[in-house]
């Protein structure tokens, strides 16, 4: 498709973060403030983020609109040279239906920019004050969702398959089928006493964050009647401690710091089998 002549607008895909408006990045706030049209989903994004919109900006709630209902605003952006801020919850790169919009914008000849946002999994880790990558315990984080929902999972991406790694997992969009989620995590190899965090609306005024074990996961989710806007963290790192990273160890060296000789020797001895 040949890009149209005349005015060319742009669409800024803005990560709104997990909820609290003060967790927007400076770039996200500037992007919203620069927009002629601000498109947001009231079902997913906290309304306080709209405080960054300028006076006179057109505010559009996309909660009840399919993508075909949003595309006319992109077409107007092309015809009138408008800036559109399309606000996504969390980070646009994760379950944001971003790519299909970028593809359509490219077809229209629209300039685009993606502004990253704080994902809910890192917000939940901050709320419970836990590091998800503990030395000698877990050095990977798997971000996924339970299969069998509205969007099919590709082969090999089942929860039980990822669970075999035994590392930290963040489960999105899965609380409505907590029984299946618990079953697949157990089948994958996590012990029943593996620590879990169940977080509803993290950083929102009505947030609820509950700790439990994997064996209690289904009962905990059902007790609190959670089924949407809920994230589950699972893995041994959620209760681990007592280890130390080499990053700030006096025996570790890098381009900006020399190792202390005796500490370096102790570190080498500790590494020996």
């Amino acid at each position: 498709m040949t890009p149209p002549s005349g005015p060319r607008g742009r669409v800024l895909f803005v990560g709104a973060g997990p909820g609290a408006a003060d967790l927007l990045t400076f770039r996200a706030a500037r992007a919203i403030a620069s927009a002629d049209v601000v498109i947001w989903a009231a079902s997913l994004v906290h309304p306080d983020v709209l405080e960054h919109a300028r006076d006179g900006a057109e505010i559009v709630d996309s909660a009840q609109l399919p993508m075909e209902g949003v595309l006319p605003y992109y077409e107007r952006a092309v015809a009138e040279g408008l800036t559109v801020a399309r606000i996504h919850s969390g980070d646009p790169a994760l379950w944001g239906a971003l790519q299909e919009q970028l593809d359509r914008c490219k077809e229209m000849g629209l300039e685009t920019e993606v502004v990253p946002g704080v994902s809910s999994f890192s917000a939940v880790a901050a709320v419970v004050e836990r590091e998800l990558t503990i030395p000698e315990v877990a050095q990977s984080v798997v971000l996924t969702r339970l299969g069998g929902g509205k969007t099919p999972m590709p082969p090999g991406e089942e929860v039980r398959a990822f669970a075999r790694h035994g590392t930290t997992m963040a489960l999105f969009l899965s609380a409505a089928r907590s029984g299946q989620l618990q079953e697949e995590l157990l089948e994958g190899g996590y012990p029943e006493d593996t620590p879990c965090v169940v977080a509803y609306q993290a950083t929102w005024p009505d947030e609820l964050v509950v700790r439990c074990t994997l064996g209690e996961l289904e009962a905990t989710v059902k007790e609190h009647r959670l089924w949407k806007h809920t994230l589950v963290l699972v893995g041994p790192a959620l209760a681990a401690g007592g280890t130390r990273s080499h990053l700030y160890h006096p025996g570790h060296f890098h381009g900006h710091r020399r190792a202390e000789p005796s500490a370096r020797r102790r570190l080498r001895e500790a590494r020996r089998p």
Side-chain angles (χ1 to χ4, degrees):
M1 177 179 177
T2 302
S5 58
R8 279 196 195 177
R10 61 178 183 152
V11 179
L12 310 175
F13 295 96
V14 181
D22 58 357
L23 285 175
L24 281 172
T25 64
F26 289 123
R27 183 177 297 184
R30 288 196 300 267
I32 295 170
S34 72
D36 303 297
V37 181
V38 177
I39 303 175
W40 73 302
S43 58
L44 298 171
V45 176
H46 196 282
D48 285 355
V49 304
L50 297 178
E51 294 176 2
H52 296 284
R54 64 173 176 79
D55 291 341
E58 183 177 355
I59 309 297
V60 178
D61 181 4
S62 64
Q64 297 183 357
L65 298 178
M67 186 173 73
E68 286 74 11
V70 173
L71 292 178
Y73 295 97
Y74 297 170
E75 293 167 354
R76 275 183 53 202
V78 174
E80 302 174 29
L82 303 177
T83 295
V84 176
R86 178 72 161 95
I87 303 178
H88 286 253
S89 60
D91 183 276
L94 297 174
W95 296 284
L98 173 65
Q99 192 60 51
E100 59 202 56
Q101 295 181 80
L102 289 171
D103 292 344
R104 297 302 296 272
C105 287
K106 183 178 180 180
E107 292 172 2
M108 295 179 189
L110 275 166
E111 177 186 343
T112 56
E113 179 183 346
V114 179
V115 180
V118 177
S119 177
S120 57
F121 83 91
S122 53
V124 173
V127 168
V128 297
E129 298 187 347
R130 295 300 310 181
E131 183 179 353
L132 303 182
T133 54
I134 302 292
E136 303 174 38
V137 177
Q139 288 291 284
S140 304
V141 180
V142 177
L143 311 180
T144 190
R145 51 176 283 270
L146 192 61
K150 297 177 182 178
T151 303
M153 293 292 282
E157 293 194 13
E158 296 82 9
V159 165
R160 63 172 57 85
F162 285 130
R164 295 191 181 102
H165 295 288
T167 189
T168 307
M169 289 182 66
L171 289 309
F172 294 74
L173 307 169
S174 302
R177 290 171 292 143
S178 57
Q180 180 185 346
L181 179 61
Q182 177 177 315
E183 180 181 349
E184 290 202 23
L185 290 169
L186 289 170
E187 287 178 359
Y190 285 114
E192 287 198 1
D193 61 355
T194 302
C196 296
V197 173
V198 180
Y200 167 79
Q201 298 271 74
T203 80
W204 290 59
D206 59 343
E207 79 170 11
L208 174 68
V209 179
V210 183
R211 291 177 177 269
C212 64
T213 64
L214 178 53
E216 302 165 335
L217 178 60
E218 179 182 9
T220 299
V221 171
K222 290 182 176 179
E223 176 187 353
H224 295 282
R225 300 181 179 180
L226 304 177
W227 60 278
K228 62 180 181 178
H229 306 314
T230 301
L231 177 79
V232 175
L233 295 178
V234 58
L238 298 173
T243 63
R244 180 171 180 179
S245 168
H246 289 177
L247 181 60
Y248 298 110
H249 194 288
H252 178 69
F253 68 92
H254 52 66
H256 298 275
R257 189 181 74 223
R258 293 176 177 270
E260 197 277 316
S262 60
R264 181 68 177 166
R265 286 193 296 271
R266 290 194 299 271
L267 192 59
R268 284 176 173 172
E269 291 171 358
R271 289 175 175 171
R272 292 173 183 167

